[in-house]
Amino acid sequence: MNGYIDCHCHISSGDFDKDLDDVIDRSKKAGLLAILAVSEHFGEFEKIIELSKRFPGFIFPCLGVHPVQEVSPEQQRGANPQDLDAALPIIEKYKDQLVAIGEVGLDFTPRFVSRDEDKEKQRQVLIKQVEIAKQLDLPINVHSRSAGRPTIHLLKELGVERALLHAFDGKPSVAMEGVKAGYFFSIPPSIIRSEQKQKLVKQLPLENICLETDSPALGPEKQVRNEPQNIRVSAEYVAKVKGVSLERVMEATTQNALRLFPKLKTKIRL
């Protein structure tokens, strides 16, 4: 397939409500074949499903509970098992439409975890969602901020075989543990301003790299709304670091995404 796949995007964000059609048009002109729409909490689930119906064969839903939950615009906290109560029935309702469970994972940023008890609650939320992914035979779309090593170790311990670690912020040596387990790592446009991401891409085999935008976050410029069309920024930088052509990066990352998310193969509209 000749084009890109954005493997991790918050296209349901309110940041896109006013000009979503234009955003989608620009992304298609930039060569995007598909956008994987990830959720953060159950309140977004129905909106993501509606977007997948509005843009069939282009926007694909991934439902899951993020390890950080928003209490108010000013306050966030780590996820706990109760956050799954409202989410699980909706995941069950739409299970046949999903291409992955996500965004799920761990976030051990100090402001979200002050005690071991907080970390354990996040682990329980992730463990439950891994069980669901296994039951539905779906891959997981994973967040691991400030928790790269514990996330990879837990996924391996749980026997997870198909995982995308998005915007991984750990050391390349830790990422390589994930590579050995067969996991993929998606690279956002913020790579152009992140020395850590640049070092990561140098180490990662191209066979384990996917592309993402994490729109509206992690764009090429700080504090500027990111869009799916910026997927090309990620691809161009990966090509530069790896010393290969842009076409080679496009081909490899798209094939990697299709291997990881097999439901896309029959649903993408070319």
Side-chain angles (χ1 to χ4, degrees):
M1 289 188 184
N2 192 26
Y4 303 105
I5 295 175
D6 186 344
C7 291
H8 188 103
C9 179
H10 297 274
I11 200 69
S12 59
S13 167
D15 292 40
F16 297 118
D17 285 351
K18 290 182 180 177
D19 63 343
L20 183 60
D21 286 310
D22 292 336
V23 168
I24 297 300
D25 283 344
R26 286 193 290 271
S27 68
K28 289 181 177 179
K29 285 173 183 169
L32 264 167
L33 298 171
I35 291 172
L36 271 66
V38 293
S39 66
E40 295 191 338
H41 54 84
F42 79 92
E44 289 181 285
F45 287 8
E46 296 286 354
K47 185 175 183 180
I48 286 173
I49 295 296
E50 285 307 310
L51 288 174
S52 72
K53 292 176 180 175
R54 183 172 159 193
F55 300 98
F58 189 71
I59 291 181
F60 296 92
C62 308
L63 302 184
V65 172
H66 193 284
V68 174
Q69 293 293 292
E70 194 171 275
V71 179
S72 69
E74 298 81 31
Q75 187 184 1
Q76 295 175 309
R77 60 164 173 79
N80 62 56
Q82 288 70 44
D83 295 315
L84 289 171
D85 292 345
L88 298 183
I90 308 177
I91 290 174
E92 174 65 24
K93 179 180 177 182
Y94 293 114
K95 62 185 179 184
D96 294 335
Q97 297 173 48
L98 304 183
V99 297
I101 298 296
E103 174 174 2
V104 302
L106 302 176
D107 191 317
F108 291 169
T109 307
R111 70 179 182 276
F112 303 131
V113 288
S114 55
R115 303 161 298 174
D116 285 344
E117 180 186 336
D118 298 326
K119 293 182 178 180
E120 185 54 33
K121 286 177 180 177
Q122 285 191 31
R123 285 193 192 95
Q124 291 307 315
V125 172
L126 176 55
I127 288 167
K128 179 62 179 174
Q129 293 186 100
V130 165
E131 288 173 0
I132 293 164
K134 286 184 174 180
Q135 289 166 11
L136 300 179
D137 192 25
L138 291 172
I140 54 174
N141 208 315
V142 184
H143 174 106
S144 58
R145 185 168 55 192
S146 301
R149 181 172 272 115
T151 301
I152 288 174
H153 285 185
L154 182 56
L155 297 183
K156 288 165 68 177
E157 189 181 308
L158 296 172
V160 171
E161 295 180 355
R162 291 183 292 155
L164 178 81
L165 286 115
H166 106 91
F168 190 76
D169 69 354
K171 294 179 180 177
S173 58
V174 177
M176 293 308 289
E177 294 180 38
V179 167
K180 286 176 186 170
Y183 303 155
F184 293 84
F185 293 77
S186 54
I187 309 301
S190 60
I191 186 174
I192 68 169
R193 53 185 174 85
S194 168
E195 189 178 340
Q196 178 268 335
K197 296 280 185 296
Q198 293 163 17
K199 288 179 178 176
L200 180 66
V201 166
K202 280 180 185 172
Q203 290 286 322
L204 288 172
L206 189 54
E207 293 73 26
N208 293 81
I209 293 177
C210 290
L211 302 176
E212 66 160 290
T213 61
D214 199 32
S215 301
L218 299 188
E221 299 174 77
K222 249 185 173 180
Q223 309 304 322
V224 176
R225 185 185 76 170
N226 191 17
E227 288 189 19
Q229 68 168 337
N230 288 327
I231 199 84
R232 192 179 172 98
V233 174
S234 300
E236 287 172 346
Y237 208 96
V238 171
K240 177 181 164 186
V241 171
K242 289 297 188 189
V244 298
S245 68
L246 181 61
E247 290 70 26
R248 173 77 186 106
V249 170
M250 179 194 290
E251 178 188 3
T253 55
T254 295
Q255 288 305 315
N256 292 344
L258 294 174
R259 288 211 319 275
L260 178 57
F261 305 105
K263 280 193 174 183
L264 293 178
K265 288 180 185 174
T266 56
K267 294 186 176 184
I268 289 178
R269 291 188 179 177
L270 297 175

